[in-house]
Amino acid sequence: MAERPSPNHGYPGRLLVFEGLDGSGKSTQASLLGKWLASKGYRVFFTEWNSSVLVASTIRRGKKKGLLTPTTFSLLHAVDFADRFDRQILPPLRAGYLVVCDRYSYTAFARDAARGCDPAWVRTIYSFAPRPDRVFYFQVPVQVTLKRKVASRLKISYYEAGMDLGLSEEVRESYERFQGRLKREYDRLAETDRFTVIDAARSVEEIQRDVRRSLAPVLENFPTGAQLLHDR
Ligand code: ADP
């Protein structure tokens, strides 16, 4: 079975993207799916949006001193993503891997729009990022993410709460407002960019079952490592 180029981006690999609010459970699901795919013999590469060395210290310093405007914040993250795309996403995609991405350009579309940047401008900046084969959107009410954060004793960060936008003096209230904005952006993107919407307020097992089921058409005729070796 040979690798057929993806109709979305033309590379032999497949790009599987996980998006959603912080605390929606996307990392949990991406990691479970990655392990399951590997156990089935697929060649899998997992990548998450962590700041690259290229801009991490600039972003950190800018955040600490409150120097970043929505535009500079957006541009720095775009540099960060371009670096991740060229170094981590593109090589395995070219080599025919299933590339599992915990966050992709849609994170920036939602976040930058929620911060007041022009959505069309943001799209132009990220025009180098090809359309994924599947975008899973883990849709969940903001209150559920808050409950999970409390249950896991995870701290709400200043920027996660959108405190820099002056929505409220109170962290929790600012978090609810800012994350509410993000959710509205994600819900809009789900329509325009045809996300696979997953009800993420359920158990880890139920969600994972849904993810695997809805991935079946992407995996159809996609070769495992053993099938590729056999053909060569
Ligand atoms: P994200 O990557 O979207 O921020 P995580 O996968 O890191 O989310 O999950 C955030 C927290 O919620 C973790 O403590 C995780 O164990 C917990 N969690 C993840 N999925 C679920 C779920 N379906 N139900 C309850 N808690 C969950």
Side-chain angles (χ1 to χ4, degrees), residues 46-80:
F46 175 79
T47 148
E48 58 190 335
W49 194 338
N50 273 337
S51 288
S52 66
V53 281
L54 202 62
V55 293
S57 66
T58 310
I59 291 178
R60 206 168 38 242
R61 259 186 297 156
K63 277 182 171 178
K64 236 183 228 162
K65 296 188 176 164
L67 294 174
L68 299 174
T69 68
T71 308
T72 55
F73 197 82
S74 171
L75 288 170
L76 278 174
H77 281 107
V79 171
D80 205 16

Side-chain angles (χ1 to χ4, degrees), residues 21-28 148 152 154 200 202-204 207:
L21 298 180
D22 262 320
S24 60
K26 59 190 171 316
S27 307
T28 304
R148 285 181 186 167
S152 323
L154 293 168
R202 296 169 299 158
S203 74
V204 170
I207 299 169

Side-chain angles (χ1 to χ4, degrees), residues 49 70-82 85 105 108-109 112 117-130:
W49 194 338
T71 308
T72 55
F73 197 82
S74 171
L75 288 170
L76 278 174
H77 281 107
V79 171
D80 205 16
F81 180 78
F85 183 78
S105 53
F109 297 170
D112 294 346
C117 294
D118 173 14
W121 175 78
V122 180
R123 287 240 178 207
T124 315
I125 290 173
Y126 283 86
S127 56
F128 63 87

Side-chain angles (χ1 to χ4, degrees), residues 5-193:
S6 157
N8 284 17
H9 47 70
Y11 297 112
R14 296 292 183 270
L15 189 54
L16 313 175
V17 166
F18 286 63
E19 287 282 359
L21 298 180
D22 262 320
S24 60
K26 59 190 171 316
S27 307
T28 304
Q29 296 298 333
S31 161
L32 284 172
L33 184 77
K35 285 180 189 143
W36 178 72
L37 289 169
S39 79
K40 295 280 170 203
Y42 291 105
R43 299 177 309 155
V44 183
F45 186 82
F46 175 79
T47 148
E48 58 190 335
W49 194 338
N50 273 337
S51 288
S52 66
V53 281
L54 202 62
V55 293
S57 66
T58 310
I59 291 178
R60 206 168 38 242
R61 259 186 297 156
K63 277 182 171 178
K64 236 183 228 162
K65 296 188 176 164
L67 294 174
L68 299 174
T69 68
T71 308
T72 55
F73 197 82
S74 171
L75 288 170
L76 278 174
H77 281 107
V79 171
D80 205 16
F81 180 78
D83 190 57
R84 176 183 170 223
F85 183 78
D86 286 348
R87 288 174 198 278
Q88 293 187 31
I89 298 175
L90 198 50
L93 206 53
R94 281 197 173 125
Y97 277 58
L98 292 173
V99 184
V100 177
C101 287
D102 186 347
R103 299 189 174 283
Y104 195 66
S105 53
Y106 305 102
T107 288
F109 297 170
R111 185 183 49 203
D112 294 346
R115 290 210 128 78
C117 294
D118 173 14
W121 175 78
V122 180
R123 287 240 178 207
T124 315
I125 290 173
Y126 283 86
S127 56
F128 63 87
R131 228 174 99 73
D133 296 281
R134 189 57 69 101
V135 182
F136 292 107
Y137 166 40
F138 294 85
Q139 192 178 47
V140 79
V142 173
Q143 287 306 323
V144 172
T145 69
L146 203 51
K147 267 193 206 132
R148 285 181 186 167
K149 282 203 170 277
V150 173
S152 323
R153 303 214 171 105
L154 293 168
K155 260 191 84 178
I156 297 175
S157 77
Y158 183 85
Y159 282 90
E160 213 177 9
M163 290 297 282
D164 56 314
L165 298 176
L167 301 172
S168 167
E169 297 275 293
E170 215 265 306
V171 177
R172 200 174 163 131
E173 194 182 322
S174 180
Y175 175 89
E176 284 172 10
R177 287 202 194 164
F178 182 59
Q179 294 292 322
R181 278 192 191 180
L182 281 178
K183 183 173 184 303
R184 282 191 290 281
E185 287 302 328
Y186 268 128
D187 289 348
R188 223 171 34 79
L189 288 168
E191 304 255 321
T192 55
D193 292 71

